[in-house]
Amino acid sequence: MSDLTPQLFAQRVVDLGLAQRRAVDQVINDVGVGEHDLKDMIKAMQRHGLVTTLQTDKILKGIGR
């Protein structure tokens, strides 16, 4: 998929202005502490409406918005 960690993906979403830090932190809390992978983070972000599939693909490819 990508070399991004779940945490870096979440930070990228904030850096690109796709979602506010508070909303991203809420998703991170929903995903939970412990072992979760990038796929889990992406699914949670999409489920909460923070990113679309197209935005996710661009982030994974290293493209801006």
Side-chain angles (χ1 to χ4, degrees), residues 3-39:
D3 290 336
L4 284 177
T5 65
Q7 294 78 15
L8 288 174
F9 181 84
Q11 184 60 49
R12 189 84 173 117
V13 169
V14 172
D15 291 346
L16 289 170
L18 300 173
Q20 294 181 355
R21 168 53 64 186
R22 187 180 333 172
V24 171
D25 287 344
Q26 182 177 1
V27 171
I28 291 170
N29 288 334
D30 288 349
V31 170
V33 180
E35 287 298 315
H36 55 273
D37 61 15
L38 183 56
K39 263 186 173 175

